[in-house]
Amino acid sequence: CGADDPNREFLSFHLSGGTGEILRVRDCMPLAIVGGIRDLSFGQLLDRVGVAAGFQFPAGAELDRIACAHKKDVCIKFSSRGKLMIEDALLKPVHIDGSYADISGIETQALKAVKNGAPLDRLAPELFYHISEALYRMVSAAAGSEHLDTVVFAGGVSASSFIRQELEKRLPEHGINVFFGERELSSDNACGIGILGMRAFLNS
């Protein structure tokens, strides 16, 4: 996390049930919020949809498993501008404004789809495609405006295999280096807090 170069700056995106901000970071310390989600969080979105579908809270991991298993069942393509398009889509894309997003709209759509009996083997991969597309566009916008080429993802949602596969494939194509924390540690913020506490103690 920048230990080899204390002056190095990069983007950090913490994705969980409570947070969804893109930070400009130097030496593991946040400098400014440069993007993020303005209403809910992706963790809340996944948990609410999963619970509505009958899964136990937290439900993100189960939806991720279904999404990965049926990923190839969803037909996608990209426009000339690189935007994701889904054939016979159940959901409209996440609303993006530069490096910021509003996701209450897709939450309403997904909950309605569950209530109307939409098959999860179709809904789950489509939902994860839309989330991955939103993250890709948000990070690309933030990296461009901040003139940075590296993003570090953390938090429980970042443990998603589906999201990791999509972002590790697409962001480097946009010239952005992407790093994820270990899956086993992504769901517990105590690791990061412990490291920051140790650093503060050693530097005091």
Side-chain angles (χ1 to χ4, degrees):
C1 187
D4 57 333
D5 182 2
N7 295 315
R8 183 185 181 192
E9 295 186 13
F10 55 92
L11 299 175
S12 175
F13 205 154
H14 192 272
L15 300 169
S16 71
T19 57
E21 288 131 355
I22 305 176
L23 304 176
R24 186 180 184 118
V25 174
R26 181 192 299 140
D27 194 25
C28 294
M29 298 302 293
L31 301 177
I33 298 174
V34 297
I37 305 160
R38 291 187 288 210
D39 43 13
L40 305 175
S41 69
F42 283 122
Q44 286 176 309
L45 169 63
L46 292 172
D47 285 333
R48 291 176 183 180
V49 173
V51 169
F55 299 119
Q56 293 291 319
F57 176 91
E62 186 63 25
L63 286 181
D64 181 55
R65 183 191 66 77
I66 296 171
C68 289
H70 297 278
K71 186 174 185 178
K72 293 182 179 179
D73 296 341
V74 177
C75 183
I76 67 166
K77 61 182 179 179
F78 295 94
S79 70
S80 57
R81 290 189 168 187
K83 282 189 178 182
L84 174 75
M85 296 188 296
I86 298 176
E87 186 175 307
D88 298 323
L90 297 170
L91 308 171
K92 295 180 181 178
V94 173
H95 177 260
I96 303 292
D97 179 15
S99 58
Y100 288 88
D102 301 285
I103 63 175
S104 57
I106 198 169
E107 179 204 24
T108 300
Q109 296 172 56
L111 290 176
K112 183 178 180 180
V114 171
K115 184 178 180 180
N116 290 339
L120 274 183
D121 57 2
R122 170 61 194 238
L123 180 61
E126 185 172 326
L127 181 60
F128 274 84
Y129 265 125
H130 282 304
I131 292 173
S132 301
E133 171 75 358
L135 294 174
Y136 166 76
R137 292 178 58 194
M138 293 164 69
V139 169
S140 297
S145 63
E146 298 299 312
H147 306 291
L148 298 173
D149 64 0
T150 299
V151 60
V152 177
F153 286 96
V157 177
S158 72
S160 160
S161 295
F162 193 109
I163 290 172
R164 287 179 180 234
Q165 290 169 10
E166 288 300 300
L167 296 183
E168 287 176 339
K169 175 177 64 178
R170 297 190 64 196
L171 283 173
E173 293 175 352
H174 198 70
I176 300 171
N177 302 308
V178 55
F179 296 93
F180 286 92
E182 295 291 337
R183 281 191 177 85
E184 294 79 7
L185 305 180
S186 293
S187 62
D188 189 353
N189 195 39
C191 300
I193 296 300
I195 291 173
L196 292 176
M198 181 185 69
R199 289 167 65 92
F201 174 76
L202 294 175
N203 293 329
S204 62

